[in-house]
Amino acid sequence: IATLAKLAGMKYIVFTTKHHSGFCMWDTKTTEFNIMNTPYGRDLLAEYVEETRKAGLGVGFYFSPEDFMFLYEKGLPVRRRFVEPIPEKIMDEYLELVELQCMELMTKYGDIDNIFFDGGEGPLQEKCKEVVWELQPNIVVSRGAMKTPEQKILGIISEDPWQSCITMGTQWAIKPTNEEYKSGARLIEILIETRAKGGNLLLNIGPEP
């Protein structure tokens, strides 16, 4: 993948380290819900970082502060938006979890060029930004620090940095049947329009875990 990305003219890749499910794709000490406890049994994130650097590309991480497994283990509804605030004691544990996970990501794999924090603004995302900027002051934080539209690009030219998140199909997660993928011509059109308007394109090329 890294070789193909380099040949296609990409400058960096962003890898999903943890999506909303809470499953960690690296060797983490924060939860048993991680790739080391699968038949694969290896730190896939470490392999990604090594091969991406070898290809001469920037290393990017995607990280979701939201964690459905944590909510499930705490007996809370598994959802992204809460009508009532999460109890303070549990919220403190939640913040500690994302802090420790971000610390691992920023200290185990060398210099990271870019990180994308999914989810809306709130204390979890703010904690994540605080941690990564403290440990790696030169890292570029995209979502949370710049415009990141989904499934569309900005309608006007912008002098401020922005990054658009677009899937090759119609959905973020895997859709095994009746999926409609964009044609190669359409993808090229999107890339051209994005560059013309001064942005970067975060193209989702596979199903998220």
Side-chain angles (χ1 to χ4, degrees), residues 19 116 118 143 147-155 162-175 179-182 186-187 190-191 193-194 197 200-206 208:
H19 202 246
F116 182 101
D118 206 348
R143 174 158 292 175
K147 293 180 180 179
T148 54
E150 293 186 352
Q151 302 293 28
K152 60 183 179 182
I153 59 179
L154 291 186
W162 59 277
Q163 182 184 70
S164 184
C165 312
I166 298 178
T167 56
M168 293 182 73
T170 61
Q171 297 186 10
W172 301 105
I174 187 170
K175 184 181 178 184
E179 176 62 297
E180 296 181 9
Y181 288 95
K182 298 175 180 66
R186 179 57 188 144
L187 292 173
I190 293 171
L191 286 168
E193 190 173 353
T194 300
K197 293 179 177 177
N200 284 326
L201 186 67
L202 188 58
L203 188 64
N204 183 29
I205 62 172
E208 295 180 348

Side-chain angles (χ1 to χ4, degrees), residues 18-39:
K18 187 190 81 168
H19 202 246
H20 306 321
S21 66
F23 184 81
C24 296
M25 298 292 283
W26 76 95
D27 184 7
T28 178
K29 305 302 181 186
T30 63
T31 175
E32 295 297 312
F33 195 43
N34 70 75
I35 198 169
M36 303 304 291
N37 296 315
T38 70

Side-chain angles (χ1 to χ4, degrees), residues 42-54:
R42 303 198 308 270
D43 189 335
L44 183 59
L45 185 59
E47 297 176 21
Y48 152 77
V49 169
E50 180 181 357
E51 295 303 319
T52 301
R53 288 202 181 108
K54 189 183 298 183

Side-chain angles (χ1 to χ4, degrees), residues 135-165:
L135 294 174
Q136 298 209 27
N138 294 322
I139 195 170
V140 173
V141 175
S142 48
R143 174 158 292 175
M146 66 177 70
K147 293 180 180 179
T148 54
E150 293 186 352
Q151 302 293 28
K152 60 183 179 182
I153 59 179
L154 291 186
I156 59 173
I157 295 176
S158 174
E159 294 183 358
D160 296 324
W162 59 277
Q163 182 184 70
S164 184
C165 312

Side-chain angles (χ1 to χ4, degrees), residues 90-120:
I90 296 180
M91 192 62 193
D92 287 343
E93 295 180 43
Y94 211 166
L95 289 167
E96 182 180 18
L97 173 67
V98 298
E99 178 179 15
L100 292 173
Q101 289 180 340
C102 285
M103 288 175 66
E104 287 184 343
L105 294 175
M106 293 298 104
T107 58
K108 294 181 63 172
Y109 304 100
D111 291 337
I112 307 304
D113 299 287
N114 176 288
I115 191 161
F116 182 101
F117 292 124
D118 206 348

